[in-house]
Amino acid sequence: MITTAAPDFAANFPNGGRLIGLDVGTKTIGVAFCDTNWSFATPDKTIIRKKFSADLEALKLLIAQHNIVGVVVGLPLNMDGSDSPRTQSTRAFARNLLPLALPLLLWDERWSTAAVERAMIAADVSRAKRATRIDSAAAAFILQGAIDAMTRQG
């Protein structure tokens, strides 16, 4: 099941559970996790993209290690809310995750990377460290937005 509606996604988890958040780029996938009560999202790692089969295996391993019950994927919409080629690529990536047999939420990620980068600059994080942490931090920003929306529904 793939949805863009947080309440529909949340309905799959009446008792909560850990979620994985993904910021899917052309070269990397930023990864974040949340706690079982959906209080906070934490950046984890960045996966260097290879073939999709290798990306899927890396995600399967993380999902098994962290007892993940659902997946939140950042959806890169245009500023006016319309789709772009990158949006279509992300939707295709999400469809390719269906073999995971987990509910999947596509979450609007507009401004996520920019917001994270501004916060890192404000915290005086060096450019080199920002480059290695930006994708997983953006994944956490995306996941936090989703879990905040889901907990407001409840």
Side-chain angles (χ1 to χ4, degrees):
M1 167 208 136
I2 298 176
T3 184
T4 56
D8 294 345
F9 182 70
N12 290 288
F13 319 108
N15 299 316
R18 290 196 82 194
L19 304 174
I20 187 171
L22 305 176
D23 180 31
V24 181
T26 55
K27 296 179 182 176
T28 61
I29 302 170
V31 178
F33 298 103
C34 72
D35 63 303
T36 59
N37 296 321
W38 302 347
S39 301
F40 56 88
T42 307
D44 189 65
K45 62 172 49 187
T46 300
I47 298 170
I48 304 301
R49 296 212 46 197
K50 298 178 175 108
K51 287 183 170 182
F52 180 77
S53 58
D55 298 344
L56 184 60
E57 287 305 311
L59 290 172
K60 282 181 181 177
L61 181 63
L62 290 171
I63 286 166
Q65 288 173 337
H66 294 272
N67 300 314
I68 299 302
V69 298
V71 181
V72 176
V73 177
L75 187 63
L77 298 169
N78 287 324
M79 291 318 249
D80 65 0
S82 64
D83 283 3
S84 68
R86 191 159 163 252
T87 310
Q88 291 303 323
S89 174
T90 300
R91 287 184 194 279
F93 181 90
R95 284 190 302 273
N96 288 334
L97 295 178
L98 288 174
L100 296 173
L102 294 174
L104 199 144
L105 174 65
L106 293 174
W107 189 252
D108 183 354
E109 72 163 42
R110 285 178 282 185
W111 297 109
S112 62
T113 302
V116 167
E117 186 155 30
R118 277 194 305 274
M120 288 179 156
I121 289 169
D124 203 27
V125 176
S126 73
R127 186 180 303 258
K129 285 185 181 175
R130 284 197 315 264
T132 63
R133 297 179 184 166
I134 192 89
D135 295 322
S136 61
F141 186 89
I142 292 162
L143 183 55
Q144 188 68 54
I147 61 177
D148 287 350
M150 291 188 301
T151 55
R152 281 194 304 269
Q153 300 297 324

Short mmCIF file of all heavy atoms in Angstrom, two decimals, residues 116-122 124-135 137:
data_model
loop_
_atom_site.label_atom_id
_atom_site.label_comp_id
_atom_site.label_asym_id
_atom_site.label_seq_id
_atom_site.Cartn_x
_atom_site.Cartn_y
_atom_site.Cartn_z
N VAL A 116 17.27 21.89 6.66
CA VAL A 116 18.34 21.18 7.37
C VAL A 116 19.67 21.88 7.16
O VAL A 116 20.44 22.07 8.11
CB VAL A 116 18.41 19.70 6.91
CG1 VAL A 116 19.67 19.02 7.38
CG2 VAL A 116 17.18 18.95 7.40
N GLU A 117 19.94 22.31 5.94
CA GLU A 117 21.20 23.00 5.68
C GLU A 117 21.28 24.32 6.47
O GLU A 117 22.32 24.63 7.05
CB GLU A 117 21.40 23.25 4.19
CG GLU A 117 22.78 23.83 3.90
CD GLU A 117 23.27 23.55 2.50
OE1 GLU A 117 22.45 23.43 1.59
OE2 GLU A 117 24.49 23.47 2.35
N ARG A 118 20.19 25.07 6.51
CA ARG A 118 20.18 26.32 7.29
C ARG A 118 20.47 26.03 8.77
O ARG A 118 21.23 26.75 9.40
CB ARG A 118 18.83 27.04 7.15
CG ARG A 118 18.72 27.88 5.90
CD ARG A 118 17.53 28.82 5.96
NE ARG A 118 16.26 28.14 6.22
CZ ARG A 118 15.49 27.59 5.29
NH1 ARG A 118 15.85 27.64 4.03
NH2 ARG A 118 14.36 27.01 5.62
N ALA A 119 19.85 24.98 9.30
CA ALA A 119 20.07 24.62 10.71
C ALA A 119 21.52 24.22 10.95
O ALA A 119 22.12 24.59 11.97
CB ALA A 119 19.14 23.49 11.12
N MET A 120 22.11 23.49 10.01
CA MET A 120 23.51 23.07 10.16
C MET A 120 24.45 24.27 10.08
O MET A 120 25.42 24.36 10.84
CB MET A 120 23.87 22.03 9.10
CG MET A 120 23.26 20.68 9.33
SD MET A 120 23.74 19.56 7.98
CE MET A 120 23.57 17.99 8.81
N ILE A 121 24.15 25.19 9.20
CA ILE A 121 24.98 26.40 9.08
C ILE A 121 24.86 27.21 10.37
O ILE A 121 25.86 27.69 10.91
CB ILE A 121 24.57 27.23 7.84
CG1 ILE A 121 25.01 26.49 6.57
CG2 ILE A 121 25.17 28.63 7.90
CD1 ILE A 121 24.42 27.06 5.29
N ALA A 122 23.64 27.33 10.89
CA ALA A 122 23.43 28.07 12.13
C ALA A 122 24.18 27.43 13.30
O ALA A 122 24.63 28.11 14.21
CB ALA A 122 21.94 28.17 12.44
N ASP A 124 26.98 26.05 12.97
CA ASP A 124 28.38 26.15 12.60
C ASP A 124 29.00 24.80 12.24
O ASP A 124 30.16 24.52 12.57
CB ASP A 124 29.18 26.84 13.72
CG ASP A 124 30.47 27.46 13.21
OD1 ASP A 124 30.52 27.82 12.01
OD2 ASP A 124 31.43 27.57 13.99
N VAL A 125 28.22 23.95 11.57
CA VAL A 125 28.74 22.67 11.08
C VAL A 125 29.53 22.96 9.81
O VAL A 125 29.06 23.68 8.92
CB VAL A 125 27.59 21.68 10.79
CG1 VAL A 125 28.10 20.39 10.19
CG2 VAL A 125 26.79 21.41 12.06
N SER A 126 30.73 22.42 9.73
CA SER A 126 31.58 22.69 8.58
C SER A 126 30.95 22.17 7.28
O SER A 126 30.12 21.26 7.30
CB SER A 126 32.95 22.02 8.76
OG SER A 126 32.84 20.62 8.59
N ARG A 127 31.36 22.75 6.17
CA ARG A 127 30.84 22.35 4.87
C ARG A 127 31.08 20.85 4.63
O ARG A 127 30.22 20.15 4.13
CB ARG A 127 31.50 23.18 3.77
CG ARG A 127 30.94 22.94 2.40
CD ARG A 127 31.65 23.79 1.36
NE ARG A 127 31.58 25.20 1.67
CZ ARG A 127 30.75 26.06 1.08
NH1 ARG A 127 29.93 25.64 0.16
NH2 ARG A 127 30.75 27.32 1.42
N ALA A 128 32.24 20.35 4.99
CA ALA A 128 32.57 18.93 4.79
C ALA A 128 31.64 18.03 5.61
O ALA A 128 31.14 17.02 5.11
CB ALA A 128 34.03 18.67 5.16
N LYS A 129 31.41 18.40 6.86
CA LYS A 129 30.51 17.60 7.69
C LYS A 129 29.07 17.70 7.22
O LYS A 129 28.32 16.73 7.27
CB LYS A 129 30.62 18.01 9.16
CG LYS A 129 31.89 17.52 9.81
CD LYS A 129 31.92 17.84 11.27
CE LYS A 129 33.22 17.35 11.88
NZ LYS A 129 33.36 17.75 13.28
N ARG A 130 28.67 18.89 6.74
CA ARG A 130 27.31 19.04 6.20
C ARG A 130 27.12 18.11 5.02
O ARG A 130 26.09 17.45 4.91
CB ARG A 130 27.05 20.48 5.76
CG ARG A 130 26.81 21.43 6.89
CD ARG A 130 26.16 22.73 6.46
NE ARG A 130 26.72 23.36 5.28
CZ ARG A 130 27.62 24.33 5.29
NH1 ARG A 130 28.12 24.77 6.43
NH2 ARG A 130 28.04 24.87 4.17
N ALA A 131 28.13 18.01 4.16
CA ALA A 131 28.01 17.18 2.97
C ALA A 131 27.78 15.71 3.32
O ALA A 131 27.03 15.01 2.63
CB ALA A 131 29.26 17.32 2.10
N THR A 132 28.40 15.24 4.39
CA THR A 132 28.25 13.82 4.75
C THR A 132 26.98 13.56 5.56
O THR A 132 26.53 12.42 5.62
CB THR A 132 29.46 13.32 5.58
OG1 THR A 132 29.53 14.05 6.81
CG2 THR A 132 30.75 13.47 4.80
N ARG A 133 26.40 14.60 6.15
CA ARG A 133 25.24 14.40 7.04
C ARG A 133 23.92 14.91 6.48
O ARG A 133 22.87 14.62 7.06
CB ARG A 133 25.51 15.09 8.37
CG ARG A 133 26.69 14.51 9.10
CD ARG A 133 26.92 15.25 10.39
NE ARG A 133 28.12 14.76 11.05
CZ ARG A 133 28.71 15.38 12.04
NH1 ARG A 133 28.22 16.52 12.50
NH2 ARG A 133 29.79 14.87 12.59
N ILE A 134 23.95 15.68 5.41
CA ILE A 134 22.74 16.37 4.94
C ILE A 134 21.62 15.42 4.54
O ILE A 134 20.45 15.65 4.85
CB ILE A 134 23.07 17.37 3.80
CG1 ILE A 134 21.88 18.29 3.54
CG2 ILE A 134 23.46 16.66 2.53
CD1 ILE A 134 21.89 19.52 4.37
N ASP A 135 21.95 14.31 3.87
CA ASP A 135 20.91 13.41 3.38
C ASP A 135 20.18 12.69 4.51
O ASP A 135 18.95 12.60 4.51
CB ASP A 135 21.48 12.40 2.39
CG ASP A 135 22.00 13.07 1.12
OD1 ASP A 135 21.36 14.03 0.66
OD2 ASP A 135 23.04 12.64 0.60
N ALA A 137 20.05 13.75 7.60
CA ALA A 137 19.35 14.78 8.36
C ALA A 137 18.06 15.19 7.65
O ALA A 137 17.03 15.42 8.30
CB ALA A 137 20.25 16.00 8.57
#
